[in-house]
Structure formats: structure tokens, C-alpha cells
Amino acid sequence: MPTAAFLPSLLLLLADRSYATPTTIKLGLEWFLNPDHLPLVVALREGYFAEAGLDVQLLEPADHWEAEEEILAGRLDVAVTETLHLAQDAARGKPVIGFSRFLHTDGGVLFLGSSNISRPSDMCGRTISYPGSPGIGGPAIVQTMVEADGGSCDIASYGKHNGGFYHVKALQDKAAAVATLVFYNFEVIEAQQMGLRPGFFSLKEWGVPDFCQLV
């Protein structure tokens, strides 16, 4: 289990028992506090970090996309981030190191029962909510899934909405018909708890590589 390996790795990497006072560690979340971070919250509240000589502070970075800049500026010591960001930062020559996989979940596209969507090809031409809009990322993901389902669609036909990572809100407010970069263990469960009848298409089942991991 990735998270079970992450916490010992973090404790071994950061703990320093040679000092009587705890070592303060400023740990950036990805991106706001949510169920992905439950192991960190449990370790903090149950005193596991304190037992290892660590004073861990869980912080929400000012910018989801630039966790490494927060580290380089000294505002964070370590950060949970996406594998895509880590690869991009390393490719740009930034001095970043990923030392453990924190979370691996099923990522995909979220929609609601009221959207008249029953299969990926039904997403053709619909409005997509995704972080980084109006960039090409959201339409590229949805278009790949549409085509994997046998659909034919003009990639320029999609509407674009930047709802950040508040995917459920974007759909609930009808600002978009679908939302992508969704984690099943978070947004799908959230929508179920709200009684919204969510539907979900897994990226890995419809032609998109499985990249939904945190490190």
C-alpha cells in the first residue's frame, strides 16, 4: 500500500533525534485539505510525527501548480504533488526529488445523472471543467476517451470552464457537463454523499494512461 510506505519514508528522511527540540517540517498539501491527506492528519493527531521528533505543519500552498517554488523560496520543506508536476519540474532543471509514492487512485471524468451522458462518446462537444482551462489538457483527455469509444468529434467543439479542483461544485452549478482530473476516492464519493447521482469514466479504461498518483 503506497501510503503505508510513504509515512515511514517521510519519518526516516526528516527525523533528527539528536536534538531535544522537535524538528519543524512545513509540508505542503496537494492542494487543499481533502481525504487524500488522511494519513498525514492521522499521524499528526495521533502523535506519530511527535514520536519521531517532528513538528509537522500541514500547509495549503498559495498555488497548486508551483509547490516547488514554495520549497525553493523556503516557505515549504516538502510537498505532496502530482507525478506530472514532478516530471515537468525535473525536465526544466529544477532541483526537485520525489522520494515516495503517496497515493495511487483511479482518475477520470466525472458527470452527473442529469447530464444525459451514458458513455464516453456522449461527451462530444460538452463543456468541460478542468484546472488549467482554457488550455488543451481537458479537451485532449476527453477527446481521447470519446475516440476510444468510437466517437468522432471536433476538439474545438468543447466548452471550457476553469473550476479549479472544485469539480463537484462546477457540475452542481451547471457551469460544465463533465469535469476531468477527478480522483474517484474523493470527488465521486463527495458527489454520492451529496445525493447527486455521479457517473464516472476511468481514464485507464478509455485510452488515457494512468497518471493519477501523488508523490
Side-chain angles (χ1 to χ4, degrees):
M1 183 176 179
T3 298
F6 175 84
L7 284 176
S9 298
L10 180 66
L11 296 176
L12 288 173
L13 180 70
L14 300 176
D16 187 345
R17 295 181 179 275
S18 62
Y19 296 95
T21 57
T23 300
T24 298
I25 300 298
K26 292 173 289 186
L27 193 158
L29 303 177
E30 203 290 321
W31 164 38
F32 49 86
L33 188 65
N34 64 67
D36 296 343
H37 307 120
L38 184 59
L40 298 173
V41 174
V42 170
L44 185 64
R45 292 187 177 180
E46 294 299 316
Y48 301 145
F49 288 133
E51 290 175 8
L54 299 173
D55 173 22
V56 175
Q57 301 173 6
L58 303 182
L59 304 173
E60 297 181 359
D63 189 333
H64 159 78
W65 303 101
E66 303 295 344
E68 87 289 350
E69 295 293 342
E70 298 283 303
I71 292 174
L72 293 175
R75 290 186 288 270
L76 294 175
D77 297 305
V78 293
V80 178
T81 190
E82 296 179 33
T83 50
L84 286 176
H85 297 336
L86 179 64
Q88 291 169 343
D89 294 338
R92 295 179 183 128
K94 295 184 178 181
V96 292
I97 297 174
F99 62 86
S100 181
R101 185 170 69 180
F102 175 63
L103 174 75
H104 186 188
T105 188
D106 193 7
V109 173
L110 176 71
F111 57 95
L112 301 183
S114 57
S115 65
N116 295 319
I117 293 173
S118 60
R119 56 184 308 115
S121 56
D122 294 335
M123 299 188 293
C124 178
R126 306 298 292 271
T127 297
I128 311 165
S129 180
Y130 61 101
S133 174
I136 192 60
I141 290 173
V142 173
Q143 177 77 349
T144 298
M145 300 174 81
V146 167
E147 292 177 352
D149 190 33
S152 178
C153 194
D154 183 352
I155 197 168
S157 68
Y158 296 99
K160 302 173 183 178
H161 171 70
N162 192 342
F165 284 89
Y166 299 97
H167 303 300
V168 175
K169 185 178 187 304
L171 300 186
Q172 188 178 29
D173 292 346
K174 302 186 184 305
V178 300
T180 191
L181 296 180
V182 166
F183 280 10
Y184 189 95
N185 68 299
F186 178 17
E187 285 89 3
V188 176
I189 304 303
E190 178 185 29
Q192 289 173 344
Q193 292 297 313
M194 297 172 68
L196 296 177
R197 296 189 300 119
F200 179 80
F201 298 134
S202 175
L203 299 180
K204 61 189 178 185
E205 294 179 0
W206 297 101
V208 181
D210 178 13
F211 62 87
C212 293
Q213 304 182 43
L214 299 178
V215 293

